[in-house]
Amino acid sequence: MPVIQLNVLLKSAGITHSSSGNFVEISNIAIDSRKVSKGSLFVAIKGSEQDGHKYIRKAIDAGASAIVCQEKADVPDDILMVLVEDSADAAGRLASAFYGHPSEALKLVGVTGTNGKTTTVTLLYQLMKQLGHRTGLISTIENIVNGRVVVATHTTPDPVELNALLAEMVAVGCEYAFMEVSSHAAHQKRISGLRFEGAVFTNITHDHLDYHKTFDDYIAAKKSFFDGLASGSFALVNGDDRRSDIMLQNTKASKHFYSLRRSSEFKGKIFENTLEGLEMEIDGLHAHLLLIGEFNAYNALCAYGICRLLGFEREVILTGLSALPGARGRFETVRDMNRGVLYIVDYAHTPDALEKVLKTIEVMKQKGGIITVVGCGGHRDKEKRPKMGAIAASLSREAIFTDDNPRDENPADITAAMMDGVDDADRNKVLIINDRAQAIKTAAKLASRGDIVLVAGKGHETYQEGMNGKIDFDDRRVIEDIIGR
């Protein structure tokens, strides 16, 4: 841990204040009172569920030497209190300064959007490693510091964890870092204080309205990422998404587009889309990819555009992309060779993503039907439940509604809400089996040679959150066990 005088830290973070006695030495910075140790600077953040100002006394008792807050608090005379307008923004800037502004020593690219973030940043990480560059990854699946895996708990970590990760990347000589930027992270200012080489927008569809409340607020959270870019950065957006122009309205960054459907700087065209991969034209060159589906054509094209903007040659990028498998739990295939059944595990947990995956399978399947196993998360966006139920039932021969991560919500209420969206004509195609393992096993029993079983919603996850907390659970392991038997 670095040790820094508070006045130096505040100045480096660009935070002005009128407090005296700011020669306190800070050996730790924390936004969680449980992580406060002696000599800490505690930043009290007003969150959506918790208010850090309520834990100021606890932080002081744990050894905090100074407090940053946006509401005046009663603190002992020997504790320095720094009042700021927005403590969430201050936390990001302070964390960046505390760790020596690591983002400025990296070519950091952030990818935001409803779908495609994980695959895009994973492709970029894999490609840079293949080309011999020390690289970092921050994603929903995992965080990687030049090959060393760090378990991910959020799509975008809190600002202290995030800057600590970036500092570790700098320490081992990383040149590049690629990270997912969730709408929550942008709205909560977790990325404040970071310097991005580039920002990327993949698409935006119905999601996270449990948090953002309205679709306009969701769009605004994504847009704020681009609004904060410096003039030397680049902004790359999906030209086929009708809201791409909104993202660029107030950015200072240079503006770039990629597209499959309209003329753009980075243009792609699909020649063939099969379960063996994609044959495409990208930027005027022919390419064969191991990736499957139109959505992955967008992800590959996006990754290509980023690499071009980072200065790499066309042929080098496409040669590298042609060998990459994509991200774990994203249209991941498992074949039962004896029974002739193909299983697909995918993270699709929004109506748009589920529809795209099912339509991709429909186009590519040669015979047989589609059986879909899908659920919706508890205490998350409830409006998408009937929509996902309708999509799964209408685009499948048979559908099984089951648990996703019900958390402490009644699983039966979730599947009932999904059923509310199903047309009368499709209701006889749907089973409700709340035990997810049993739902997958039932789908396997229903499947015949040539069928495809889609297990959607959890993808890479190796746990399930229920009434009693987290338990070990992996869709792929259940499928492999079925095939093994």
Side-chain angles (χ1 to χ4, degrees):
M1 279 288 188
V3 176
I4 188 170
Q5 285 188 352
L6 181 57
N7 62 326
V8 175
L9 178 62
L10 292 168
K11 184 177 181 180
S12 181
I15 295 174
T16 56
H17 63 100
S18 57
S19 303
S20 59
N22 54 351
F23 291 96
V24 176
E25 284 196 335
I26 300 300
S27 58
N28 182 42
I29 183 169
I31 61 173
D32 184 336
S33 61
R34 294 167 295 184
K35 296 181 180 179
V36 172
S37 56
K38 187 172 177 58
S40 291
L41 169 66
F42 177 66
V43 186
I45 296 175
K46 291 178 73 70
S48 57
E49 296 181 7
Q50 296 284 347
D51 184 352
H53 293 76
K54 295 179 180 179
Y55 298 93
I56 289 175
R57 172 53 62 180
K58 183 179 178 182
I60 292 170
D61 292 342
S65 300
I67 305 294
V68 170
C69 51
Q70 63 188 58
E71 294 177 359
K72 194 167 184 179
D74 183 19
V75 301
D77 292 339
D78 61 337
I79 301 296
L80 178 66
M81 181 178 66
V82 180
L83 278 171
V84 296
E85 185 175 334
D86 185 339
S87 52
D89 176 65
R93 290 157 59 189
L94 285 163
S96 176
F98 184 74
Y99 285 100
H101 301 287
S103 63
E104 295 180 8
L106 295 161
K107 290 186 177 178
L108 175 65
V109 177
V111 180
T112 195
T114 307
N115 303 310
K117 298 187 296 295
T118 302
T119 297
T120 301
V121 296
T122 301
L123 288 172
L124 289 163
Y125 174 81
Q126 292 171 341
L127 181 57
M128 290 301 159
K129 291 295 290 178
Q130 183 191 92
L131 296 176
H133 297 279
R134 290 177 176 263
T135 308
L137 172 69
I138 298 173
S139 79
T140 303
I141 297 177
E142 59 192 359
N143 303 322
I144 307 178
V145 180
N146 195 45
R148 189 178 76 81
V149 176
V150 181
V151 176
T153 56
H154 294 82
T155 297
T156 310
D158 72 49
V160 178
E161 292 177 0
L162 177 54
N163 279 279
L165 266 173
L166 294 174
E168 196 174 339
M169 292 174 191
V170 172
V172 299
C174 288
E175 302 169 68
Y176 300 93
F178 303 102
M179 66 177 286
E180 296 183 48
V181 177
S182 67
S183 58
H184 292 69
H187 183 256
Q188 293 169 7
K189 314 281 180 71
R190 290 186 226 159
I191 56 174
S192 287
L194 299 186
R195 198 276 177 194
F196 286 91
E197 183 78 10
V200 183
F201 169 69
T202 60
N203 51 61
I204 194 162
T205 61
H206 193 289
D207 199 16
H208 299 308
L209 298 194
D210 56 308
Y211 176 85
H212 295 289
K213 306 307 178 188
T214 71
F215 195 57
D216 284 344
D217 288 342
Y218 181 38
I219 293 171
K222 299 285 189 190
K223 180 179 179 296
S224 68
F225 177 31
F226 293 85
D227 292 349
L229 292 175
S231 57
S233 304
F234 67 78
L236 174 65
V237 299
N238 178 357
D240 291 337
D241 189 289
R242 62 192 181 91
R243 295 177 180 86
S244 59
D245 289 332
I246 295 174
M247 299 296 145
L248 302 178
Q249 281 176 348
N250 304 110
T251 190
K252 296 175 184 176
S254 60
K255 301 174 183 180
H256 309 269
F257 293 83
Y258 68 96
S259 172
L260 288 177
R261 293 191 167 87
R262 76 179 205 185
S263 178
S264 64
E265 183 178 356
F266 304 114
K267 182 74 170 68
K269 180 179 181 181
I270 298 174
F271 293 132
E272 194 168 7
N273 179 14
T274 72
L275 287 169
E276 279 64 53
L278 285 160
E279 184 182 349
M280 294 182 65
E281 181 180 83
I282 296 179
D283 209 4
L285 296 177
H286 212 81
H288 291 268
L289 306 177
L290 298 176
L291 303 168
I292 299 169
E294 183 183 75
F295 49 88
N296 271 325
Y298 276 106
N299 295 333
L301 185 57
C302 178
Y304 172 85
I306 294 166
C307 290
R308 289 290 288 141
L309 292 169
L310 289 173
F312 290 87
E313 296 297 325
R314 296 189 306 166
E315 293 81 359
V316 171
I317 302 168
L318 292 179
T319 300
L321 282 175
S322 67
L324 301 181
R328 191 170 75 248
R330 269 58 175 180
F331 213 87
E332 186 174 351
T333 58
V334 183
R335 295 179 185 272
D336 185 339
M337 303 302 290
N338 291 328
R339 296 185 60 227
V341 175
L342 176 67
Y343 295 87
I344 296 173
V345 176
D346 194 85
Y347 190 53
H349 62 286
T350 66
D352 178 69
L354 183 62
E355 184 175 15
K356 283 179 177 175
V357 169
L358 283 167
K359 286 186 173 179
T360 295
I361 296 170
E362 178 61 37
V363 169
M364 293 188 302
K365 70 181 180 65
Q366 295 176 338
K367 58 180 179 178
I370 304 170
I371 303 169
T372 300
V373 179
V374 66
C376 292
H379 292 296
R380 295 295 186 267
D381 187 351
K382 294 184 178 181
E383 289 183 23
K384 68 183 182 183
R385 293 174 184 175
K387 296 178 181 179
M388 290 184 68
I391 290 165
S394 65
L395 296 179
S396 308
R397 188 184 71 204
E398 291 150 305
I400 302 175
F401 295 168
T402 189
D403 292 355
D404 188 288
N405 290 316
R407 300 179 177 87
D408 58 355
E409 191 173 350
N410 185 344
D413 291 342
I414 300 173
T415 47
M418 294 177 68
M419 199 69 185
D420 286 343
V422 179
D423 288 344
D424 290 342
D426 290 328
R427 284 182 168 258
N428 64 341
K429 297 159 62 176
V430 180
L431 292 173
I432 294 179
I433 303 174
N434 284 106
D435 183 312
R436 191 173 180 91
Q438 192 57 49
I440 297 171
K441 291 173 184 176
T442 301
K445 290 177 182 177
L446 292 172
S448 303
R449 186 168 295 276
D451 285 347
I452 296 176
V453 177
L454 170 65
V455 183
K458 290 179 63 61
H460 66 280
E461 293 178 354
T462 56
Y463 61 85
Q464 188 174 39
E465 293 182 75
M467 292 280 190
N468 300 315
K470 284 187 178 182
I471 61 170
D472 290 338
F473 190 92
D474 188 333
D475 287 344
R476 293 161 302 175
R477 191 175 297 170
V478 174
I479 293 165
E480 288 164 0
D481 186 46
I482 291 167
I483 294 172
R485 288 204 302 270

